[in-house]
Amino acid sequence: MGWTESIRDALGYIEEHLTEELTIEEISRQVHFSPYYFQKGFALLCDFTVSDYIRCRRLALAASELVATDRKIIEIALKYGYQSPDSFTKAFTRFHGCTPSEARKGSPVKAFAPLSIKFQLIGGATMEYKMMEKEAFTVVGLQKEFAYEEATQKVPEFWEEYFKSPVAKTVASVFGVNSDEKMKGDRFRYLIGDVEQGQVLPADCTKQEIPAFTWAIFPCKGPMPTKIQEVNRQIYEEWLPNSRDYEIAAGYCIEYYEDPSQYPLGTQDATYYAEIWLPVKKKHNSIM
């Protein structure tokens, strides 16, 4: 099953079970992908995390029911997964800009239609990549754990934290290593650092061994983070769905960054160079 079909089926499953408990593990199992790559692919293709999408759909349906029926607010809150009136009111107000009581009295609420997959002609453009065999290597640096749904905001904040830390004075920021070896949860680890070179490390440094893999390496040339996000989207929209020979091998994604000081405008330079590395294996009849 390809990415497009998987996302389509996942959207259908979510819509059918919006008033039931929904977990990333169950949704990804329905479409035969690991939670790790399902969440990453969903966010890239849909511009929402899975959790955000579910939350928006539930709050939109809750508002519709509030306006159209006389059901008690607490009953509607429970139906759409909120265990208390307070938690429902807070979420409802953030999304709609008014409280449930105000909505019932006539304040406007927001609609949020379900996503649907339509055929779109894409591709036809060149996309550079190369395959490279790499032995296992060790990276050292500063590492934190994040939930997938907070990654867009928290990872850039972590980079700012890194540059202010003592680690940045000892370890270069060559790699951003995203890892979730089991590929089953809703969290991942992100390490900023470089290949271990025998240097004396600050106490808060973390070491991580990256196993030997065949890596698909995608060049990203242009201002960051715009260019690396663009290439990441291309990988999931075009390269992965159309690769006849390769599939993802493990729960790693590595970002490689050249030294910004070598460019006139640093990471915002039009010629700035970075890479995305994905571990891959030859396709066979198994679930990713």
Side-chain angles (χ1 to χ4, degrees):
M1 182 184 294
W3 277 107
T4 302
E5 293 85 354
S6 295
I7 298 299
R8 179 199 62 203
D9 291 352
L11 291 170
Y13 182 82
I14 289 169
E15 201 64 23
E16 291 174 5
H17 297 83
L18 276 172
T19 59
E20 304 169 22
E21 182 179 0
L22 282 167
T23 65
I24 300 296
E25 290 78 5
E26 180 58 29
I27 299 168
S28 58
R29 184 162 51 248
Q30 292 292 324
V31 295
H32 309 292
F33 273 89
S34 70
Y36 175 83
Y37 282 103
F38 171 68
Q39 290 180 100
K40 191 174 180 69
F42 189 98
L44 285 167
L45 297 179
C46 300
D47 289 326
F48 293 95
T49 66
V50 181
S51 298
D52 282 345
Y53 176 72
I54 293 171
R55 181 163 47 249
C56 289
R57 282 295 297 143
R58 284 173 168 168
L59 288 169
L61 290 176
S64 178
E65 198 160 329
L66 255 175
V67 172
T69 73
D70 294 325
R71 292 191 69 185
K72 293 181 179 179
I73 291 175
I74 184 58
E75 291 179 357
I76 295 173
L78 290 171
K79 178 179 179 179
Y80 290 102
Y82 293 89
Q83 299 305 310
S84 72
D86 285 346
S87 62
F88 178 62
T89 297
K90 287 178 181 178
F92 190 97
T93 304
R94 280 196 300 268
F95 184 76
H96 292 286
C98 64
T99 66
S101 297
E102 290 168 341
R104 181 153 273 175
K105 292 176 183 177
S107 292
V109 293
K110 296 177 182 177
F112 185 86
L115 291 171
S116 60
I117 299 293
K118 294 184 179 179
F119 175 78
Q120 182 180 6
L121 190 62
I122 60 174
T126 58
M127 184 177 187
E128 292 183 15
Y129 71 95
K130 61 183 176 181
M131 294 293 176
M132 185 174 292
E133 301 282 344
K134 287 185 176 291
E135 296 298 322
F137 61 98
T138 301
V139 288
V140 294
L142 205 60
Q143 186 178 74
K144 274 193 172 182
E145 185 176 279
F146 301 99
Y148 285 104
E149 64 178 28
E150 65 182 11
T152 303
Q153 174 188 349
K154 295 296 184 181
V155 171
E157 291 176 358
F158 182 43
W159 274 93
E160 293 179 12
E161 179 184 333
Y162 168 84
F163 287 123
K164 296 175 182 177
S165 74
V167 176
K169 299 176 182 178
T170 307
V171 182
S173 55
V174 176
F175 295 108
V177 181
N178 181 321
S179 54
D180 177 8
E181 290 88 343
K182 294 182 179 180
M183 299 196 294
K184 292 182 178 180
D186 59 0
R187 302 184 69 82
F188 67 97
R189 288 174 288 115
Y190 190 87
L191 185 149
I192 302 170
D194 195 2
V195 174
E196 184 179 22
Q197 299 174 12
Q199 67 268 56
V200 178
L201 301 171
D204 52 352
C205 258
T206 297
K207 292 186 179 183
Q208 181 177 0
E209 181 169 339
I210 308 298
F213 285 116
T214 298
W215 297 87
I217 299 178
F218 302 85
C220 309
K221 189 176 181 181
M224 299 293 135
T226 304
K227 188 61 182 181
I228 206 164
Q229 291 170 349
E230 176 187 317
V231 173
N232 219 349
R233 179 179 289 276
Q234 273 189 289
I235 291 170
Y236 280 84
E237 284 186 347
E238 299 178 35
W239 192 82
L240 274 173
N242 295 295
S243 176
R244 295 181 178 181
D245 300 316
Y246 292 99
E247 62 185 3
I248 299 299
Y252 296 94
C253 178
I254 297 179
E255 302 152 10
Y256 163 78
Y257 298 97
E258 286 199 342
D259 182 357
S261 68
Q262 302 303 307
Y263 295 84
L265 298 177
T267 59
Q268 296 307 298
D269 199 275
T271 63
Y272 182 76
Y273 184 80
E275 294 174 342
I276 297 172
W277 300 4
L278 290 180
V280 295
K281 62 184 178 181
K282 287 285 188 178
K283 280 187 174 180
H284 53 80
N285 294 323
S286 64
I287 293 174
M288 191 180 300

